[in-house]
C-alpha cells in the first residue's frame, strides 16, 4: 500500500525548494515540462490507449471515453497550457501590506505559497499537467489523486513532468501521483493533516461531497452550480432571451450554465412566447409553476416540483418560477442556489443594486450570462476551479488563490510588557 | 434535543439582515448591548454564581474556577470590549478591486460578511460577548457553543445581548447559543453544512483537534503554538536573553509564549551562563541536548527527548537545541513548530532575511518577542483568535478576517461565444 506519510514528507521537502525558486527558474521548468510533453507524446498516447481499452472493455459511456481520450492535439494543448502559465505573472514575493507599530515593530504581510496542495479529480488526464502547472507556478508542491480510469495516462504524464523537473535541477517531488486505486488510500489522503495544507476536489457533485464529508485537511469546495437568471419587471426582453439561451445552452454540462429561471409576473406574458420559441429551438425541456405554464401551455411545460428548483440538471432542462418582486426573487434564489453564479436582467439601477447586494453568491451579474464565471473570462489567465465556499477564495480561482500570506516582523529588541 | 436545523435557518435569516445594516446601525446596537451588560450585571453574576457553585461541587481546579468567575469589573470589561468594537472601522462594503474586461464587463470584488459563523469554546464566559461583538460588526450571524461549565453564565449573557438587539429593532438571532450540553449536539453542529459557513474553535489543543477531526463545515484552526527562538551566531546576546525571558515567562499559558530555544554553536558558551541565571531566576526548567547541558551542567538541565521538541508546554519549561548553521535552525524549527510564531535574534541582515523566508510560520520575527503575535499588538483593535492554518487567514484574526468577498459583474447583454 502507498506510504502516504512518505509522500507527504517528500512533498514538504519539495515545498521548501519551490518556495525559494525565482520566477525565471519556475518559468524555465514549466517550459521544459511543456517541451517534454511534446517530445514524449507517443509514450503518453500509448498509456492512454491502455486506459481507453480498459474503459471500452468495462462498457464506459462514450461521453466518458471522450473525456478520457488523448490525441496529439490534446497533448499539445496540455503543453500549451504550461507555456501559458509560464507567461503569467508570479504571485509569490509580493508585499501585500506594511505597517509600523508605535513600539517600532515593522510588520509586513508577504504573499507566500500555500505549501502542499492535494488535488482529487476524475477521469480527464489533462488535469494532471494543468493542476501541476498552476500549483508549481504559485510555489506549491502538489500530490495528485486522479481517477482510476485514467491511471496509465496519469502515470505517463507524471513521469514526463518529473523527468523534466529533474532535467532542470528541481526536486521532482514537486509533483507526486498517488498510483494506488484503493479507496482506503484516498480516504487516508483526505486525512493527511500536517503534510497537506489544502485539498481541492475537481469533479462531479458526488466526488466533492465525499471529500467534504471525509476530509480533515482544509478543503476548497468547488464546482456545483445551480445558477439562476432573474428577469426583472424592467428587463430588456431581447437581452433576456439572448442571455438565457446562452447561459442555458451554450454548454450544458458545466457549473456556470443556467439551471433555473425566475420571472417577474409583470413581464411573464410579454417574455414567455418568444422565450418558449427560443428554448424549443434549442430542445430545452421546461418545468414551471402554474402561472408560467398557463402562458406556455401545459402540454409544452411540466409542473416544476420543489426538487426541480434545487437541481443542477447539467442537461437540456430549465426550471422556471414566477415572483412578484425583486425581494421575492432574491429570497427564492438564496434558498435554492449553490453560491455559484446568479444574474438579474434589468434596466432599473435600483433593482440591479438590490440584487447585487442581496444575492449570496460568488458571482452576481447584471445583464450578462452566468457563463462568464471562469478564470480565463475574468482575466486570471488560468483557473484551478470555481470555489463555492466562503473561506479563503470565492468564485474563479487563479494563481493568487493558490497562495497564502505570512507576517514578517522586524524589531530591535522589543519585548511585551 | 436542540433543533440545529431550526437554529441554522434563523441564523441565515439574520445574516441577510446583518449584511444590509449600515455601520451606524451596527455601532448603535453594539453600544446598546454594552449598556445592557452593565445594567443587568446583577443578573449575569447570579447566573455565574450557579456555574461556580457547580464547579466547586465538582472539584474544579482553582485556575479553572478563576477563568470561569465573573465580577463587576469583568462584566464591565466585556461591555467595554463591545464599545471598542463599535469604534473600529467597518470592514464591510469596501471594494477590493475593480477591472474591466475587453468585452465590456465591469467586475468588482466587494468585501462581504462570511455569513454564519460557528464558535465552539471552553469555560471563559466573556467569549460569549466578545465573539458576538466581532462577528456582528463584520455583519455575521453567530451560533455559539460554549463550555458546559459556563452554561448558566452564557445563557444570561445571551439573553441580555438578544434583548439589546430587539431593543434597537435588529433580529436577535444575530446571536444564538446552543444550550444543549449533549456531545451529540456538538458533533451535529460541526456538520451543519449549508447553514454554517465557518467554524472557529477557541480553546485547548484537545478541543481544536476534535473540531478538525469531526467537522465537515470549513474550520479555521487556531491557537496551538510551539514557538521557537533561534539565537544566531551574530546575535546581540543581551537582546537575546531579554527576548527569551520575555517570550518564555511574561505569560506562560498562552499560544505565543516561547517553548523552545535553538542556539548556534558559536554563541553557545557565551550565551548560556547569563541565560541560565535568568531562566533560573524565573524558575524555568531547562531540557536540552548534550552540547548545551555540558555548559549549563547536567544537574541543572534535563536531557531533552524528541518529544520535548514537539511539545507546547504552556508551563515554566523550555527545550533547547544546538545547531551549526541558520539552515539547520530553519530545518529544526520547520520540523517541530506549529506554524504559529518563531523568531531569530541576529544582527546579520542576510541571516535575518534567510530566516524570514525559510521559516514556515504565520509570524516570523527578527529581534523581537514572539509574544507580539496578537490582534491588539498588530493594531487590529480586536482579535477572534490566531490562525495556524494557511487557508483564508493566517496569524492574528481581526474583523477583516471575519469577512469574505463576492464578485459583482455588470454587463449590457454580453453572452459567451
Amino acid at each position: 500500500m502507498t506510504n502516504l506519510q512518505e509522500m507527504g514528507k517528500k512533498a514538504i521537502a519539495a515545498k521548501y525548494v519551490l518556495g525559494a525558486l525565482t520566477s525565471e527558474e519556475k518559468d524555465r521548468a514549466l517550459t521544459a515540462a511543456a517541451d517534454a510533453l511534446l517530445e514524449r507524446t507517443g509514450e503518453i498516447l500509448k498509456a492512454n490507449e491502455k486506459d481507453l481499452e480498459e474503459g471500452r472493455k468495462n462498457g464506459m459511456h462514450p461521453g466518458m471515453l471522450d473525456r478520457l481520450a488523448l490525441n496529439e492535439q490534446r497533448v499539445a494543448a496540455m503543453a500549451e497550457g504550461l507555456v501559458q502559465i509560464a507567461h503569467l505573472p508570479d504571485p509569490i514575493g509580493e508585499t501585500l501590506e506594511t505597517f509600523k507599530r508605535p513600539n517600532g515593530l515593522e510588520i509586513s504581510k508577504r504573499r507566500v505559497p500555500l505549501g502542499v496542495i492535494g488535488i482529487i479529480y476524475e477521469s480527464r488526464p489533462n488535469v494532471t499537467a494543468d493542476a501541476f502547472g498552476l500549483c508549481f507556478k504559485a510555489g506549491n508542491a502538489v500530490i495528485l489523486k486522479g481517477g482510476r480510469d485514467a491511471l496509465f495516462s496519469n502515470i505517463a504524464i507524471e513521469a514526463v513532468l518529473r523527468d523534466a523537473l529533474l532535467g532542470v535541477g528541481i526536486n521532482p517531488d514537486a509533483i507526486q501521483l498517488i498510483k494506488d486505486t484503493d479507496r482506503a488510500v484516498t480516504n487516508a489522503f483526505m486525512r493527511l493533516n500536517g503534510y497537506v495544507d489544502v485539498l481541492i476536489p475537481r469533479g462531479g457533485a458526488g466526488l466533492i461531497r465525499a471529500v467534504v464529508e471525509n476530509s480533515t485537511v482544509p478543503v476548497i469546495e468547488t464546482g456545483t452550480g445551480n445558477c439562476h437568471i432573474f428577469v426583472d419587471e424592467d428587463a430588456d426582453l431581447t437581452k433576456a432571451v439572448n442571455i438565457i439561451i446562452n447561459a442555458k445552452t451554450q454548454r450544458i454540462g458545466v457549473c456556470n450554465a443556467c439551471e433555473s429561471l425566475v420571472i417577474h409576473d409583470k413581464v411573464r406574458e410579454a417574455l414567455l412566447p418568444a422565450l418558449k420559441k427560443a428554448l424549443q429551438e434549442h430542445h430545452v425541456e421546461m418545468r414551471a409553476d402554474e402561472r408560467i405554464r398557463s402562458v406556455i401551455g401545459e402540454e409544452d411545460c411540466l409542473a416544476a416540483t420543489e426538487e426541480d428548483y434545487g437541481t443542477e440538471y447539467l442537461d437540456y432542462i430549465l426550471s422556471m418560477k414566477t415572483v412578484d418582486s425583486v425581494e421575492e426573487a432574491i429570497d427564492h434564489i438564496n434558498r435554492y442556489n449553490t453560491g455559484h453564479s446568479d444574474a438579474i436582467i434589468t434596466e432599473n439601477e435600483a433593482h440591479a443594486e438590490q440584487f447585487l447586494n442581496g444575492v449570496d453568491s460568488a458571482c452576481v451579474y447584471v445583464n450578462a450570462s452566468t457563463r462568464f464565471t471562469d478564470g480565463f473570462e475574468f482575466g486570471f489567465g488560468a483557473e484551478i476551479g470555481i470555489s463555492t465556499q466562503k473561506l479563503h477564495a470565492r468564485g474563479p480561482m487563479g494563481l493568487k488563490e493558490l497562495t497564502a500570506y505570512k507576517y514578517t516582523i522586524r524589531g530591535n529588541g522589543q519585548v511585551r510588557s
Side-chain angles (χ1 to χ4, degrees), chain A residues 37 78 82 85 125-134 144 157 161 175:
Chain A
L37 286 173
M78 278 164 50
L82 294 182
I85 292 169
N126 62 309
V127 174
T128 309
D130 241 44
F132 155 73
L134 287 165
L144 301 169
I157 295 166
L161 297 175
I175 171 173

Side-chain angles (χ1 to χ4, degrees), chain A residues 81-94:
Chain A
L82 294 182
V83 172
Q84 280 175 13
I85 292 169
H87 287 133
L88 291 175
D90 188 343
I92 298 303
E94 189 188 349

